[in-house]
Amino acid sequence: MHESDPPVSPVWDGLLRDIDSGCRRCAAAIEKLVHPELEPHRRRAVETLSEIEAAVEEALEQQATSAVDLALLGALGGELDIFRRAHLPFFAHYGSDERYLTLLARHLADEAGFTIHRPILGTFSSAGYWTNPSLSTICLPSGDHAQVLALPDLVHELAHLLLHETEAGLRQRLLSDSIGPYANGLGPVDGDAEFASRLYYKYWDWATELIADATAAFVCGPSYGWQHIRLCAQSSGEAGQAWLPAAPPGPAQSAERFTHPADSARMSVIATVLSETGQQAGADRLQDEWAALTAHAGAAPATYTVSYPASVLHDVATMTLEWCRAKELVAFADAEDDAIVRHVDRAWTQQLANPVIFAQSEAKRVSELRAVIESAPGS
């Protein structure tokens, strides 16, 4: 240590060792899990923790001869914090219901032709369905293991994993071939000269969601559209929600409410996919019901049609269809009769025809599906 360096504080030494102890506690909890379907996730988690521990050990050695690197201390603590918040809960809360959903997701992905790392599912979400593609994790609300109508949304999340792992430039092609030329042709919108530029960059996020919608509609057929209506009808909290966000966020607006495109735009993409795959009757009925659902919202804001032009939404649908076919994903029309998407479609058909009978039989449907999934070879 140089004379000019401050003495090493036992506080910093203790904080480094605390991170090391945190890694060891996490590793001990993970080591207790012996389910074979979790083995790839367990190995990956242990590797992540080992990397943090190795960095802590190196920092402990270095601090004996140099000043404490506070930036490194913060970075290592941040990595462990992210692990504990984003990854560890999937292990800590893994029980029989989570195992069923994890196996169900595996079957859905295999039947659809999704070549992805098999995800681990959790049931502790407080914000609907979400995924962390870099960790191959999907989270559902508690209790969703006991229903079937929302399963098309699970395919949407699996599509996010597929995009993350094997996208091959689809979003970039959409930006360069469709969204870019459209945005370049826009002048100022309501006096806002930067509107087109913000719209273009916002579509990097929106395109991801719309592609996942189109992929899920391709795989699930009309049931994905019905789940979209179900979700919107049961969660919309304000008039006009179907049209929001009607524009990209302005300079002073938080981006939090702009992560997903407007629900009406998403329905347009879903309906186009169904029409383009020979399911016009299903597309028409969905659009009719969507119009009835959103009638109370009034007319769309003027900026909505600027942000979601029909030409761009059509391009999203058709370019995604081309991508799905090139990857040889299994379309709903080609799914086997005993495929999970067919099971879900039959459930939705009964729900729409006689919701009372469906409510009485849903538990049996779930029980039968679960028995098939958990008794399948490799489960």
Side-chain angles (χ1 to χ4, degrees):
M1 179 179 292
H2 299 291
E3 291 184 4
S4 59
D5 290 335
V8 175
S9 166
V11 173
W12 307 126
D13 181 87
L15 292 178
L16 278 169
R17 295 183 187 279
D18 180 58
I19 294 173
D20 184 69
S21 296
C23 289
R24 294 180 187 279
R25 287 193 298 271
C26 291
I30 291 169
E31 288 290 350
K32 296 177 182 178
L33 296 171
V34 295
H35 300 290
E37 70 275 5
L38 290 188
E39 186 57 24
H41 294 274
R42 192 192 64 79
R43 287 198 305 268
R44 183 177 181 182
V46 169
E47 288 172 4
T48 299
L49 292 169
S50 297
E51 290 170 2
I52 299 175
E53 287 185 70
V56 168
E57 184 176 346
E58 182 178 354
L60 285 169
E61 293 174 355
Q62 290 178 350
Q63 77 164 1
T65 57
S66 61
V68 174
D69 186 342
L70 294 182
L72 176 62
L73 178 66
L76 292 174
E79 287 183 35
L80 178 59
D81 183 58
I82 290 172
F83 181 87
R84 287 190 293 207
R85 287 187 291 108
H87 208 174
L88 184 61
F90 287 90
F91 296 99
H93 298 286
Y94 196 78
S96 61
D97 295 334
E98 289 75 22
R99 182 171 189 269
Y100 157 63
L101 289 169
T102 296
L103 295 173
L104 176 67
R106 175 193 296 184
H107 281 267
L108 276 168
D110 289 347
E111 289 177 356
F114 287 11
T115 53
I116 57 175
H117 291 97
R118 290 172 168 175
I120 177 175
L121 271 71
T123 57
F124 52 88
S125 172
S126 60
Y129 285 40
W130 55 264
T131 183
N132 186 329
S134 63
L135 295 177
S136 298
T137 56
I138 298 174
C139 200
L140 284 61
S142 177
D144 261 26
H145 66 280
Q147 60 75 46
V148 67
L149 295 179
L151 290 183
D153 275 351
L154 180 52
V155 177
H156 172 96
E157 301 305 331
L158 290 168
H160 275 294
L161 299 184
L162 184 66
L163 282 167
H164 176 75
E165 297 182 24
T166 64
E167 178 196 339
L170 175 57
R171 282 184 300 176
Q172 188 57 56
R173 290 198 300 276
L174 276 168
L175 286 168
S176 61
D177 296 351
S178 179
I179 299 161
Y182 171 76
N184 287 336
L186 284 178
V189 176
D190 289 342
D192 183 355
E194 299 300 319
F195 185 99
S197 176
R198 295 200 312 276
L199 181 67
Y200 174 82
Y201 287 108
K202 188 68 246 179
Y203 258 98
W204 185 257
D205 296 326
W206 288 352
T208 301
E209 293 298 332
L210 294 170
I211 292 169
D213 286 332
T215 304
F218 179 79
V219 171
C220 298
S223 68
Y224 184 68
W226 290 117
Q227 167 55 16
H228 183 63
I229 287 178
R230 174 179 180 258
L231 183 64
C232 295
Q234 293 179 353
S235 61
S236 179
E238 58 184 287
Q241 185 72 37
W243 316 116
L244 300 179
Q253 291 179 294
S254 169
E256 185 176 349
R257 295 188 64 190
F258 296 82
T259 57
H260 288 60
D263 288 329
S264 279
R266 300 177 73 173
M267 178 55 77
S268 294
V269 169
I270 294 167
T272 299
V273 168
L274 295 177
S275 296
E276 294 285 332
T277 53
Q279 300 171 85
Q280 189 62 54
D284 290 344
R285 185 178 179 190
L286 281 166
Q287 288 181 304
D288 289 345
E289 294 296 337
W290 184 255
L293 176 67
T294 58
H296 72 283
T303 53
Y304 172 85
T305 55
V306 178
S307 298
Y308 306 100
S311 61
V312 167
L313 298 179
H314 186 270
D315 286 343
V316 171
T318 56
M319 291 177 72
T320 304
L321 280 176
E322 180 182 350
W323 178 79
C324 289
R325 289 164 175 154
K327 297 188 73 61
E328 298 184 344
L329 303 186
V330 178
F332 174 73
D334 298 325
E336 299 290 340
D337 188 63
D338 61 350
I340 297 170
V341 292
R342 292 288 187 184
H343 180 97
V344 175
D345 181 70
R346 288 190 288 269
W348 265 107
T349 298
Q350 186 179 63
Q351 161 69 9
L352 295 168
N354 195 325
V356 173
I357 296 298
F358 174 77
Q360 294 170 347
S361 64
E362 183 177 21
K364 181 180 178 182
R365 286 180 177 275
V366 172
S367 178
E368 291 174 348
L369 177 60
R370 184 164 181 162
V372 170
I373 295 299
E374 293 182 334
S375 63
S379 298

